[in-house]
Amino acid sequence: MRISRIFLYNEPSVPEISSDSLANFLQNTFHVTVIKRENIFKNAAEDTAYDLASSRIFNMHQSFQIHVPTNEEVEFERQTFQNTSKVENIILYDGFEFQRIVSSLIPSDESNVEDFHFVFTNKLTCTFDFNDYRYHGRALIGANPSIISTTGIIEAPAKPREYYMELMVNYGQGLNIDSIKKKYQGAYLEYHDLRLGKIIEGYCLQALFYYITGESFCDLLDCRLNNAHWQRDLLYSQLEFGKLCNKHSEILKSWTALNDLNC
Ligand SMILES: [Zn+2]
């Protein structure tokens, strides 16, 4: 698949995305023009707030059921369009519904197959897994546009098992959880973590590889295309190792050579 332009729709409440350096990274990696845009919901239509509120999930153990939103829920969505940092509690949204809603907000003259879009959001996108019959938070909804949920990056890959164990034991004893959080600090990503920028590059690579080759993930931990289920693995693949494996480096090299010729 050829790509001629990449669009980045920013999430202003998460400056750690650092869209300037992300744009440079993508431009250097794929040799494609990268265009930065404001938050996607600046393009919101009359129905967008209602549609988003309808895509909320209330039952983690049931596949998507369209929700009939209250006026307050619709108004809440409308307010987040003006100020995305308004989000206080984590609200779950069906990722595929969310993707469909934001797709409709991309201008039609930028919706060619050669235009690739990233939509960043602090809303938590989830998908229903029929293997265990429950919703899971997702950092990435890989499609075009691809959705990258900054809340998903922090909440979806699991923290160390020991962290949960200590938390459970201490909850029972009524102890302060701050000391446990402190003990594991650095072992997982936190809100406004300075490492988010690099981690987001990895999710962008996964989304673009999926678009280009039809396969998004790599089984090797020594590759930025690894689909990490644990925070530890995510930090290792994206920061400590921080490269593509040989196979995927070669695929990228051949793709850019061909794409350069066509551009
Ligand atoms: Zn690989």
Side-chain angles (χ1 to χ4, degrees):
M1 180 71 76
R2 268 186 65 182
I3 296 180
S4 54
R5 296 184 292 184
I6 296 172
F7 293 84
L8 304 178
Y9 285 89
N10 199 22
E11 170 48 71
S13 71
V14 187
E16 295 76 17
I17 294 169
S18 35
S19 48
D20 283 338
S21 50
L22 178 61
N24 285 337
F25 169 78
L26 293 173
Q27 201 139 5
N28 293 335
T29 308
F30 292 94
H31 307 177
V32 166
T33 306
V34 180
I35 298 161
K36 292 186 299 167
R37 288 283 155 84
E38 285 188 290
N39 188 262
I40 188 75
F41 294 113
K42 293 281 177 218
N43 299 352
E46 190 56 38
D47 299 339
T48 310
Y50 185 92
D51 291 347
L52 266 183
S54 311
S55 72
R56 287 185 179 202
I57 300 159
F58 291 89
N59 183 351
M60 296 290 281
H61 299 280
Q62 193 175 44
S63 61
F64 182 64
Q65 312 280 319
I66 200 142
H67 169 61
V68 179
T70 63
N71 290 340
E72 287 76 22
E73 287 165 349
V74 176
E75 188 46 37
F76 169 82
E77 296 300 342
R78 203 164 277 135
Q79 286 176 18
T80 64
F81 299 166
Q82 302 308 321
N83 177 9
T84 58
S85 59
K86 211 184 141 26
V87 180
E88 284 160 11
N89 298 320
I90 296 179
I91 299 167
L92 314 179
Y93 298 85
D94 182 273
F96 297 119
E97 287 293 309
F98 189 93
Q99 203 273 345
R100 189 181 57 75
I101 295 162
V102 298
S103 292
S104 68
L105 305 181
I106 307 266
S108 56
D109 58 343
E110 295 173 355
S111 290
N112 306 306
V113 282
E114 292 182 15
D115 293 327
F116 192 86
H117 303 264
F118 281 109
V119 172
F120 295 97
T121 181
N122 60 353
K123 295 180 192 284
L124 180 57
T125 46
C126 303
T127 59
F128 191 81
D129 188 339
F130 284 92
N131 292 313
D132 59 2
Y133 277 85
R134 56 162 296 191
Y135 269 101
H136 294 270
R138 299 284 177 215
L140 170 69
I141 307 290
N144 189 14
S146 272
I147 315 301
I148 296 187
S149 163
T150 52
T151 305
I153 295 174
I154 293 152
E155 301 293 344
K159 297 180 178 68
R161 229 182 273 271
E162 299 78 17
Y163 170 88
Y164 294 110
M165 293 304 287
E166 277 201 49
L167 214 54
M168 277 192 288
V169 170
N170 283 276
Y171 258 132
Q173 297 171 350
L175 295 176
N176 187 349
I177 61 162
D178 285 345
S179 60
I180 303 167
K181 282 190 171 171
K182 205 163 193 159
K183 183 173 166 189
Y184 290 96
Q185 208 166 36
Y188 58 85
L189 291 163
E190 296 181 78
Y191 289 92
H192 297 295
D193 200 302
L194 291 173
R195 298 171 291 183
L196 271 174
K198 276 267 163 221
I199 300 286
I200 285 169
E201 288 179 5
Y203 283 112
C204 289
L205 287 171
Q206 293 174 10
L208 280 160
F209 261 81
Y210 181 59
Y211 195 64
I212 291 166
T213 64
E215 46 172 302
S216 55
F217 300 121
C218 182
D219 294 336
L220 301 176
L221 265 181
D222 286 348
C223 182
R224 295 190 88 180
L225 300 188
N226 183 263
N227 180 19
H229 296 290
W230 293 89
Q231 291 271 338
R232 185 191 53 229
D233 293 347
L234 180 67
L235 294 171
Y236 174 78
S237 296
Q238 302 304 337
L239 303 176
E240 252 179 84
F241 189 73
K243 291 180 294 190
L244 293 173
C245 67
N246 286 339
K247 178 185 144 191
H248 285 113
S249 300
E250 286 306 315
I251 292 174
L252 179 64
K253 215 193 272 175
S254 332
W255 181 85
T256 45
L258 200 64
N259 201 56
D260 286 348
L261 278 179
N262 290 327
C263 279

